């Protein structure tokens, strides 16, 4: 029997509990944020029904760093000492440890360039007393407060125009890559993407995000059966999260809905017009009857 208001069929809703530690295939190794789960019992629906799918709960640990292998490089050049490419070790950084790590690699490369941080403006500055410098490339745009740019001219000092942001990803996007979920995603340029739900990161590193659906957010999919789930957890930049070997779990629910034929506007208008004509006929008939009664009473 139906067990949810969204389910208007004779088929009972199905809940699926997925734990990354029990995944069939790990598609990105120890980062385990892209997993395949094959089902022993395939979820199927009759020809006259649709499947609706939604994320109803999840438990995801905040085990991902604010500096990862996706945002840990900076290339800077000096007119005298040449180019240095800095690659930071993935981990959590604050402004102090970030400045230290960058300066250590500049010193090790023999490049007389210094990184500093202003606590009042919350901005990073790169400068040199002996040479003009040039920032050439970085994947730490948000973290350093540097907007995407073309190569800037040489200067003796460069201060990032934006304040730094070392908060890490703000949301986790739970995606179902094998289902026909039609959700628009600005991270993909407004294109369709398989995002099942966006889960806000509302706790500190090392804590667990506890999410439970508070509204009916389900997607009607075209798939007639579901044999597996390809779940991926991505960040604000559409990059797979690096979970560093820590497991997570989610709950997915499938409801079933009857197929309905689309309402054609012309048919609707025609039906409405016929109804109005019928009302006019009924009113005319009542008037005629009333008129006949009056005529008979006079006689």
């Amino acid at each position: 029997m139906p067990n949810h208001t969204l389910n208007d069929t004779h088929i009972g809703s199905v809940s699926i509990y997925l734990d990354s530690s029990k995944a069939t295939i790990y598609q990105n190794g120890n980062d385990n944020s892209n997993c395949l789960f094959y089902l022993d019992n395939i979820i199927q629906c009759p020809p006259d029904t649709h499947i609706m799918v939604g994320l109803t709960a999840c438990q995801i640990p905040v085990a991902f760093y604010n500096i990862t292998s996706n945002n840990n490089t900076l290339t800077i050049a000096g007119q005298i000492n040449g180019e240095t490419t800095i690659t930071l070790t993935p981990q959590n950084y604050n402004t102090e440890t970030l400045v230290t790590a960058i300066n250590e690699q500049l010193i090790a490369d023999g490049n007389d360039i210094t990184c500093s941080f202003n606590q009042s403006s919350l901005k990073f500055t790169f400068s040199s007393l002996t040479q003009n410098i040039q920032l050439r490339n970085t994947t730490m745009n948000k973290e350093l407060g540097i907007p995407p740019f073309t190569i800037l001219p040489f200067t003796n000092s460069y201060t990032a125009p934006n304040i730094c942001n070392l908060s890490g990803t703000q949301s986790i996007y739970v995606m179902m890559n094998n289902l026909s979920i039609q959700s628009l995603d600005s991270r993909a340029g407004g294109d369709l993407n398989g995002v099942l739900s966006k889960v806000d990161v509302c706790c500190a590193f090392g804590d667990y995000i506890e999410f439970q659906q508070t509204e009916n957010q389900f997607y009607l999919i075209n798939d007639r059966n579901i044999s597996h789930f390809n779940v991926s957890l991505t960040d604000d930049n559409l990059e797979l999260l690096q979970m560093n070997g820590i497991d997570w779990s989610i709950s997915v629910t499938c409801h079933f809905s009857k197929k309905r034929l689309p309402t054609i506007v012309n048919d609707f208008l025609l039906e409405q017009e016929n109804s109005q004509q019928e009302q006019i006929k009924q009113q005319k008939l009542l008037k005629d009857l009333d008129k006949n009664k009056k005529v008979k009473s006079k006689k």
Side-chain angles (χ1 to χ4, degrees), residues 6-289:
L6 291 177
N7 193 336
D8 58 1
T9 72
H10 65 283
I11 309 170
S13 301
V14 180
S15 290
I16 306 98
Y17 307 101
L18 304 174
D19 191 315
S20 64
S21 65
K22 303 296 190 297
T24 311
I25 299 174
Y26 300 95
Q27 300 198 109
N28 64 335
N30 190 55
D31 287 336
N32 74 328
S33 55
N34 189 1
C35 300
L36 279 172
F37 300 86
Y38 282 93
L39 306 178
D40 291 335
N41 299 306
I42 296 176
I43 299 171
Q44 295 179 311
C45 66
D48 61 341
T49 63
H50 288 294
I51 300 176
M52 292 185 294
V53 62
L55 180 73
T56 47
C58 72
Q59 188 179 55
I60 304 174
V62 182
F64 35 89
Y65 301 134
N66 60 358
I67 297 294
T68 70
S69 59
N70 297 319
N71 65 337
N72 66 333
T73 61
L74 168 69
T75 300
I76 188 168
Q79 282 185 317
I80 298 174
N81 299 132
E83 187 176 277
T84 296
T85 296
I86 296 165
T87 303
L88 300 179
T89 301
Q91 62 183 40
N92 282 327
Y93 289 84
N94 56 32
T95 55
E96 183 178 349
T97 56
L98 186 59
V99 166
T100 300
I102 291 174
N103 285 332
E104 283 177 352
Q105 292 197 35
L106 287 168
I107 292 171
D109 197 48
N111 208 334
D112 183 25
I113 301 173
T114 302
C115 175
S116 60
F117 181 75
N118 188 313
Q119 294 287 349
S120 298
S121 65
L122 301 179
K123 294 182 177 181
F124 287 99
T125 296
F126 298 87
S127 59
S128 174
L129 297 175
T130 62
Q131 60 182 335
N132 285 334
I133 65 172
Q134 181 185 59
L135 268 70
R136 295 189 171 174
N137 192 25
T138 184
T139 57
M140 293 186 282
N141 297 88
K142 180 184 78 171
E143 291 71 23
L144 295 175
I146 301 172
F149 61 89
T150 55
I151 296 177
L152 300 172
F154 278 96
T155 180
N156 65 338
S157 179
Y158 173 80
T159 299
N162 301 331
I163 65 173
C164 68
N165 186 347
L166 292 172
S167 61
T169 186
Q170 303 298 299
S171 302
I172 298 173
Y173 296 80
V174 180
M175 302 176 67
M176 290 290 183
N177 304 307
N178 64 303
L179 301 182
S180 57
I181 296 172
Q182 297 188 359
S183 53
L184 298 175
D185 191 345
S186 62
R187 301 175 306 157
D191 200 359
L192 292 174
N193 216 344
V195 176
L196 187 62
S197 186
K198 182 173 81 74
V199 180
D200 294 333
V201 179
C202 53
C203 56
F205 182 81
D207 291 337
Y208 274 83
I209 300 170
E210 300 281 354
F211 167 85
Q212 286 190 330
Q213 190 185 73
T214 56
E215 61 177 337
N216 290 329
Q217 186 178 355
F218 287 84
Y219 292 92
L220 192 76
I221 60 177
N222 295 323
D223 307 78
R224 307 307 306 154
N225 57 74
I226 302 174
S227 62
H228 67 285
F229 291 98
N230 179 193
V231 184
S232 63
L233 308 180
T234 58
D235 63 13
D236 294 331
N237 298 314
L238 202 54
E239 300 284 354
L240 288 169
L241 288 178
Q242 297 176 7
M243 296 298 295
N244 297 301
I246 303 299
D247 290 308
W248 47 268
S249 62
I250 65 173
S251 298
V252 178
T253 300
C254 293
H255 298 309
F256 300 91
S257 173
K258 290 180 181 178
K259 282 186 177 181
R260 290 170 173 80
L261 293 175
T263 301
I264 300 174
V265 175
N266 289 338
D267 289 348
F268 174 75
L269 293 175
L270 182 61
E271 183 180 348
Q272 189 179 41
E273 184 179 349
N274 290 336
S275 177
Q276 290 174 348
Q277 291 295 330
E278 187 64 29
Q279 287 179 0
I280 292 172
K281 288 180 181 179
Q282 291 292 334
Q283 289 173 358
K284 186 177 183 302
L285 179 62
L286 291 173
K287 286 181 180 179
D288 290 342
L289 290 172

